[in-house]
Amino acid sequence: MGARTKARKRALDVLFEAEQRGVNVAAILEERLAHPGHQHPLPAYSQEIVRGIVDRWRELNVIIEDASTQWTLERMPAVDRNLIRIGAWEILCNDEVATAVAIDEAVELAADLSTDDSASFVNGVLGRIARDAPAIGSTSADD
């Protein structure tokens, strides 16, 4: 597993933990940074992902809901929802990651960590986001 793949997985851990505990994502991130416990320190790219998602939380959620034609965010499995957030952030906000790489990484993690149908679901939603990215970029407001 490459360094960025591991960083994405660790970012997913933070997002998932915050959701499961009902705690603000930024608070969990700061807690992990201050007290990593038995885990290795959180990679810089994990921190960048989580902070980027927190900064654009509402915007990303709207984009994801628009791209997910039959599932609301609340109905999605938590792992899928957060992998899609990571992939959407990489597609829309990180020029250093190719769109195909962002989608492939999210799909691989979904296949490893979620339901049997998750990989194809994540692929479909992120594919729609990638397809619509130019239009999204021109109409999105920076919060």
Side-chain angles (χ1 to χ4, degrees), residues 16-122:
F16 185 82
E17 179 182 351
E19 190 169 313
Q20 294 303 303
R21 290 177 51 193
V23 177
N24 181 281
V25 175
I28 292 293
L29 176 61
E30 295 310 317
E31 182 180 312
R32 285 293 147 264
L33 293 174
H35 308 288
H38 298 302
Q39 299 179 8
H40 293 287
L42 204 59
Y45 191 58
S46 298
Q47 297 173 47
E48 182 180 349
I49 292 169
V50 173
R51 286 189 174 111
I53 290 170
V54 168
D55 289 346
R56 294 180 169 259
W57 188 264
R58 287 186 185 129
E59 176 186 359
L60 289 171
N61 286 346
V62 168
I63 290 166
I64 292 165
E65 288 232 339
D66 287 347
S68 175
T69 56
Q70 300 189 11
W71 290 80
T72 62
L73 278 171
E74 293 78 25
R75 284 189 62 211
M76 293 177 195
V79 170
D80 297 2
R81 176 175 44 244
N82 287 301
L83 283 171
I84 293 168
R85 284 182 179 127
I86 292 168
W89 178 80
E90 285 188 312
I91 291 166
L92 299 169
C93 307
N94 188 341
D95 295 335
E96 295 177 10
V97 177
T99 296
V101 171
I103 294 171
D104 288 347
E105 290 284 328
V107 168
E108 286 297 319
L109 285 169
D112 290 346
L113 302 172
S114 197
T115 71
D116 291 341
D117 297 326
S118 291
S120 61
F121 174 70
V122 168

